[in-house]
Amino acid sequence: VHLPDFCHRLVGPERAFEQWRVYAAPVPQGKTANDRRRYTGQRKFFNFVTRHRKGVLQLGRFQRDERGTLREKGVSLLLAVDLIRLAAGDAYDVAIVFSGNGDLVPAIKTVQEVCRKRVEVALTDVSADRLRQAADHVHAITPELFENIRLG
């Protein structure tokens, strides 16, 4: 999906759309063909984000847990810090967060209570009750939202 088009669709024509931010951890190159495809695809996406005039990329990291499984680290923390920092700096009036991570609720509450900004969430997961309850508005991510949005 072409992320800027998707964001414009979600925000709607009545609101100005200033910036979109991506929070992710770069996947390791890996040894299998699938790992290399994932790595190459993610690198292309990261390049697209950083070259787009409204795109910002924030990177966490991957770390192996005690079983050797790679786990994303620092990504939610980066998002939470930016939510608060950018709200305090008056960089936005409304933030739309695409995440089902309930750990973001304290940051959302801080932005709402201290900075007096709106935080909306976009969810596909109906089980994200904590985020749903904390948000000023919930955007349901449905197949209809993707109609007429270009790929790539």
Side-chain angles (χ1 to χ4, degrees):
V1 169
H2 190 260
L3 196 54
D5 286 355
F6 179 75
C7 291
H8 279 289
R9 170 73 62 90
L10 196 63
V11 168
E14 67 281 353
R15 295 196 281 187
F17 173 59
E18 300 299 325
Q19 188 179 75
W20 51 278
R21 303 174 76 82
V22 173
Y23 297 83
V27 297
Q29 281 190 14
K31 296 179 178 146
T32 68
N34 192 36
D35 288 343
R36 286 190 294 279
R37 254 190 318 278
R38 187 178 304 123
Y39 173 83
T40 301
Q42 188 186 55
R43 289 290 169 203
K44 286 180 184 177
F45 176 67
F46 287 173
N47 285 335
F48 171 77
V49 172
T50 57
R51 291 177 47 205
H52 192 278
R53 64 184 175 83
K54 292 186 177 186
V56 176
L57 178 64
Q58 297 281 47
L59 295 177
R61 68 187 191 289
F62 275 103
Q63 182 175 317
R64 293 204 184 275
D65 65 13
E66 60 279 350
R67 288 191 221 137
T69 305
L70 282 175
R71 301 278 182 211
E72 214 175 46
K73 293 296 202 176
V75 175
S76 296
L77 182 59
L78 286 169
L79 173 54
V81 168
D82 274 0
L83 264 176
I84 296 168
R85 180 181 61 81
L86 293 169
D90 210 24
Y92 67 84
D93 294 321
V94 178
I96 301 176
V97 176
F98 296 83
S99 176
N101 188 339
D103 290 344
L104 294 172
V105 169
I108 290 170
K109 292 285 191 194
T110 299
V111 166
Q112 292 165 327
E113 295 167 8
V114 176
C115 304
R116 302 288 183 223
K117 303 290 183 181
R118 284 178 56 86
V119 179
E120 302 175 0
V121 295
L123 299 170
T124 57
D125 186 359
V126 294
S127 67
D129 291 333
R130 290 186 63 219
L131 278 175
R132 191 178 301 281
Q133 291 168 0
D136 292 300
H137 178 77
V138 176
H139 298 271
I141 305 297
T142 63
E144 295 78 30
L145 191 60
F146 292 94
E147 289 177 6
N148 301 318
I149 293 179
R150 62 188 158 140
L151 299 177

